[in-house]
Amino acid sequence: MTSTGPATGTFPARLRDWFRAHPLAFDAVIASGTLVCMIAGSFTDPHGSREGPTFGDHAPDLWSVLIMVAGAAALVLRRRRPFAVLCFTVTICLVELVNDNRPAPIAMSAVVALYTVASRTDRPTTWRVGLVTMAMLTAAAMIFGPTHWYAQENLGVFAWTGMAAAAGDAVRSRRAFVDAIRERAERAERTREEEAGRRVAEERLRIARDLHDVVAHHIALVNVQAGVAAHVMDKRPDQAKEALAHVREASRSALDELRATVGLLRQSGDPEAPTEPAPGLAVLDGLLDSFRKAGLPVALARCDGDQPRPLPATVDLAAYRIVQEALTNVRKHAGPDAEAEVSVVRVGRTVEITVLDNGAPQTGAPADSGGHGLLGMRERVGALGGTLTTAPRYGGGFRVQAILPVTTRTGEDA
């Protein structure tokens, strides 16, 4: 059996939340407290005896009570009509000071109204309204009050109105400071969420490009070799077996690359991801051999410059994928008798990848068939700051040329 005990601070917190949800009720409580203070102050005589103020020797008349009730009742609307409430309370305060020889402390309602105006407006307005209110009430108390003009009660009116304006301005400044901090925190949170979403989208797009390149290349080879095997199965079984062997090899390569790509998505606690290096121009010969086995003659020309150096990993992978996708498009769209030429030329701080074919004349890009090959190549090249040119060749065929920078973002060589 457990005992929860008293909930310390629960009731004040609930009461505060309830007043925030019902501001009119809170203003009614403030008005009631102000009325009690004014009535209690009206029974006090600051000059009752030589020993000091006395309580109960003086009682307010009916007119003063009505004035105090009216001033307190106006405070209920202080949030909705702050300037109107201030004007009303100051007016009745002036009326009480002018007409009564022993005025009631109606200035309390004007002090609360002035605080409300100062807390809900800007600083210049607070200064102007505060100075006017202090001047009017202080002057009326000095001129029409029952005591000498230099009495401490008259100076008290000046002090209370000044403190009300200063307190309201301080509350407004603190509220604005807290709102600014909250807005800055919310904006920073939105910025972090947007940045995280952008990075997720970029990573998803990169992985989608890799998957597209892998699947499109290998599935195209599998489709070609499976068609060859089906065509010669009855008459030339040896050739059919060779085609099926190529199908098996292409599918195994596809699975290996898919496993390596999906391994990037594993979490830290997942089984160990494959450790094979990402494909690059170092294994370009193997890629071209797979196309040759599929029936596409491919010629390769390479020029690495005087001092060949390895390419950055991102540039190396992009160059490999561009060649892979371009040859896949040749195999799919250029016709059965097409031939392809691949050139990789290192020129200064750039590397140029060119893929040509002599297939049937094309009126548009291979991407017009509904695929995303050229779009993926263009995104790869654009992400590295390079350029991609794709266009039909005069007399037939197609040309794909990519120029990739060999330097990193910071300007350092690989």
Side-chain angles (χ1 to χ4, degrees):
M1 181 175 180
T2 60
S3 177
T4 58
T8 305
T10 301
F11 176 74
R14 290 181 179 179
L15 184 62
R16 182 177 63 253
D17 295 338
W18 188 86
F19 276 134
R20 289 178 178 176
H22 303 81
L24 193 64
F26 180 77
D27 292 338
V29 172
I30 295 296
S32 300
T34 304
L35 178 62
V36 170
C37 292
M38 288 190 296
I39 292 179
S42 63
F43 282 92
T44 302
D45 187 359
H47 305 283
S49 64
R50 295 182 178 181
E51 288 78 10
T54 58
F55 182 81
D57 295 343
H58 172 263
D61 54 14
L62 180 60
W63 170 254
S64 297
V65 173
L66 293 178
I67 288 291
M68 288 186 288
V69 170
L75 296 179
V76 179
L77 304 176
R78 67 188 184 95
R79 295 176 189 261
R80 297 183 179 181
R81 304 292 296 276
F83 284 98
V85 171
L86 177 62
C87 293
F88 177 77
T89 53
V90 170
T91 301
I92 62 176
C93 184
L94 293 176
V95 171
E96 177 70 4
L97 289 173
V98 172
N99 293 333
D100 201 331
N101 292 328
R102 303 191 61 167
I106 190 63
M108 293 184 183
S109 60
V111 169
V112 177
L114 179 59
Y115 163 82
T116 304
V117 171
S119 65
R120 303 179 70 85
T121 184
D122 52 27
R123 180 162 295 173
T125 303
T126 299
W127 276 98
R128 291 192 293 266
V129 175
L131 289 176
V132 171
T133 303
M134 287 187 292
M136 293 176 61
L137 295 182
T138 304
M142 289 181 174
I143 296 174
F144 301 102
T147 59
H148 299 289
W149 66 271
Y150 52 83
Q152 60 181 1
E153 296 94 315
N154 302 331
L155 298 179
V157 173
F158 179 84
W160 278 106
T161 51
M163 286 190 296
D169 182 71
V171 170
R172 180 196 55 78
S173 300
R174 182 182 180 279
R175 187 184 299 127
F177 178 73
V178 172
D179 292 342
I181 293 179
R182 184 182 295 111
E183 181 182 0
R184 190 180 301 114
E186 293 175 353
R187 185 165 57 251
E189 184 67 22
R190 288 195 301 268
T191 302
R192 284 194 296 268
E193 293 177 356
E194 292 173 358
E195 179 67 16
R198 184 185 64 81
R199 293 183 178 180
V200 169
E202 290 180 355
E203 185 67 13
R204 185 184 295 116
L205 181 60
R206 187 187 65 81
I207 294 176
R209 285 198 301 262
D210 286 342
L211 291 176
H212 172 270
D213 293 340
V214 172
V215 173
H217 164 61
H218 291 289
I219 295 303
L221 298 183
V222 168
N223 182 47
V224 172
Q225 296 294 343
V228 172
H231 182 68
V232 300
M233 179 67 71
D234 297 331
K235 297 181 180 180
R236 287 175 286 178
D238 294 337
Q239 188 175 354
K241 291 181 180 180
E242 183 180 356
L244 291 177
H246 292 327
V247 169
R248 182 178 181 182
E249 182 180 354
S251 60
R252 183 172 58 250
S253 299
L255 289 176
D256 292 340
E257 292 197 31
L258 284 174
R259 189 179 300 112
T261 302
V262 176
L264 299 175
L265 303 177
R266 297 181 184 273
Q267 303 295 328
S268 58
D270 292 342
E272 184 178 358
T275 58
E276 294 84 357
L281 294 181
V283 294
L284 183 60
D285 293 332
L287 175 66
L288 301 185
D289 288 339
S290 65
F291 279 101
R292 295 187 185 108
K293 293 177 182 179
L296 176 64
V298 183
L300 174 63
R302 300 188 66 164
C303 181
D304 295 331
D306 297 335
Q307 297 178 350
R309 284 175 291 179
L311 297 175
T314 54
V315 178
D316 199 21
L317 176 61
Y320 178 88
R321 293 302 187 194
I322 289 171
V323 174
Q324 183 184 54
E325 180 60 31
L327 292 179
T328 301
N329 287 337
V330 172
R331 191 67 187 85
K332 292 166 58 177
H333 303 286
D337 299 328
E339 297 180 359
E341 299 178 5
V342 178
S343 67
V344 181
V345 181
R346 182 79 173 264
V347 181
R349 293 182 176 270
T350 62
V351 57
E352 297 182 5
I353 312 296
T354 306
V355 180
L356 307 174
D357 70 85
N358 61 349
Q362 299 183 25
T363 57
D368 294 341
S369 60
H372 301 278
L374 292 184
L375 178 61
M377 285 192 289
R378 198 173 303 280
E379 290 174 347
R380 285 184 183 277
V381 175
L384 297 175
T387 59
L388 178 70
T389 304
T390 59
R393 299 177 63 191
Y394 179 76
F398 203 78
R399 176 175 179 269
V400 176
Q401 183 182 38
I403 301 177
L404 304 177
V406 188
T407 55
T408 60
R409 298 266 177 162
T410 59
E412 298 179 355
D413 250 348

